[in-house]
Amino acid sequence: FPDHVAPAVVADLHVALPVGQDLARLRWIASGDDWFDGTAASYDIRAFDRVITAANWDSARKCTGKPLPSRAGTEERFSVRDLTPGNTYYFALQTTDESQNVSPISNVVSATTPPEKFSAASFGPIM
């Protein structure tokens, strides 16, 4: 029988603290292959400088190095890297199963990376 059941939407995506100057750690509970059952095939995790919506999903940066999904109910962790210090980022994800059924976009979360640390050394020696 054809599989027409998409993975359930991830509704508990959150940013784990602390946020680094160039990275944010995301956590969520795996939804599964068919709704909340089994193991999905892949994640599509996105980062953007605006709130992520269905309308701008394709414009958001695709994150690389994503984990393979774990069995439904398992806590997942992923670090989004190469962020710029002092900026606010928004994150969301979608889950796809082996039949290419795609979940709705997860809840959207945000994080602000701390600014670069001030250092007198950046200005050279004091005379």
Side-chain angles (χ1 to χ4, degrees), residues 25-127:
R25 291 178 291 279
L26 305 179
R27 292 187 181 171
W28 66 96
I29 301 299
S31 61
D33 173 9
D34 294 330
W35 201 241
F36 287 109
D37 186 44
T39 303
S42 65
Y43 289 120
D44 184 358
I45 303 171
R46 304 282 177 120
F48 207 32
D49 61 358
R50 293 180 288 252
V51 175
I52 297 173
T53 65
N56 66 19
W57 176 259
D58 290 334
S59 298
R61 180 182 113 195
K62 265 190 155 181
C63 298
T64 58
K66 302 171 295 290
L68 288 175
S70 299
R71 185 154 190 72
T74 304
E75 183 182 54
E76 301 280 36
R77 297 171 184 229
F78 176 68
S79 292
V80 180
R81 299 185 182 280
D82 300 322
L83 302 178
T84 302
N87 285 330
T88 298
Y89 292 91
Y90 297 86
F91 308 98
L93 66 86
Q94 287 183 307
T95 308
T96 303
D97 69 13
E98 77 286 345
S99 298
Q100 301 307 304
N101 297 309
V102 180
S103 74
I105 296 171
S106 70
N107 62 303
V108 178
V109 296
S110 67
T112 301
T113 54
E116 291 188 58
K117 297 194 186 309
F118 171 80
S119 166
S122 331
F123 298 101
I126 299 174
M127 302 282 181

